[in-house]
Amino acid sequence: MTDLLRGRRPLLFALFAGVLIADRVTKILAERSLAMGSPVDVIPGFFQLTLVHNTGMAFGLLGSASIPGKAWLLTAVSTGLLVAIVWLAWRAGPLTTMTTVGIVAMLSGAVGNILDRLLYGYVVDFFDFYVGSAHWPAFNIADAMICTGVGLLVIESVRDLRREAGAAGQEDLSEG
């Protein structure tokens, strides 16, 4: 990982800091501008801003569960996963640009949500996409970056599998 980062650290730091700043600013604006339970239409029938205090995990899982110390438990789990991602990335050796950007996106999103849990005991969500009465769970910029990072890692993994399959196919042809 260190070889790939040479010369790119400022850009990766800017991505990390930019996501954190955008996430914090939009969450503060949502808390100040939106009333709980009063959605604001942006694109009627598709997208609205709805303030949600997510005391659960991603997509509101465990949100209604009454678990003593739930906020601290979820913060500890999130922090543990964050440390594991950094450790695995560090041990992986040279990484592609896509993988590195994916990891930075995931880390910045995770830190943004961990900050919410530490500050408030919940995560501030407000983007609300829907069709009719079917709503995607409300989310925030940090959540979007976590999903983007995971998506980039999946794309890179599929590319790697295709490269390996192509290389194996070439070896089979050369042996025959």
Side-chain angles (χ1 to χ4, degrees), residues 51-99:
L51 182 62
V52 175
H53 291 165
N54 181 0
T55 60
M57 299 174 8
F59 310 116
L61 296 172
L62 297 179
S64 60
S66 179
I67 301 169
K70 179 170 62 173
W72 289 107
L73 176 65
L74 293 176
T75 301
V77 168
S78 298
T79 303
L81 290 171
L82 182 110
V83 169
I85 290 168
V86 170
W87 182 78
L88 289 170
W90 195 260
R91 298 207 13 108
L95 301 173
T96 65
T97 299
M98 184 180 292
T99 298

Side-chain angles (χ1 to χ4, degrees), residues 74-155:
L74 293 176
T75 301
V77 168
S78 298
T79 303
L81 290 171
L82 182 110
V83 169
I85 290 168
V86 170
W87 182 78
L88 289 170
W90 195 260
R91 298 207 13 108
L95 301 173
T96 65
T97 299
M98 184 180 292
T99 298
T100 304
V101 169
I103 290 169
V104 170
M106 288 176 10
L107 293 176
S108 60
V111 169
N113 284 340
I114 288 169
L115 281 173
D116 273 15
R117 289 199 191 287
L118 291 172
L119 293 171
Y120 312 121
Y122 55 82
V123 174
V124 177
D125 291 329
F126 52 91
F127 293 134
D128 182 9
F129 287 89
Y130 65 100
V131 176
S133 63
H135 287 254
W136 183 258
F139 63 97
N140 57 48
I141 289 175
D143 297 333
M145 292 309 293
I146 292 168
C147 291
T148 298
V150 169
L152 290 172
L153 294 181
V154 168
I155 290 168

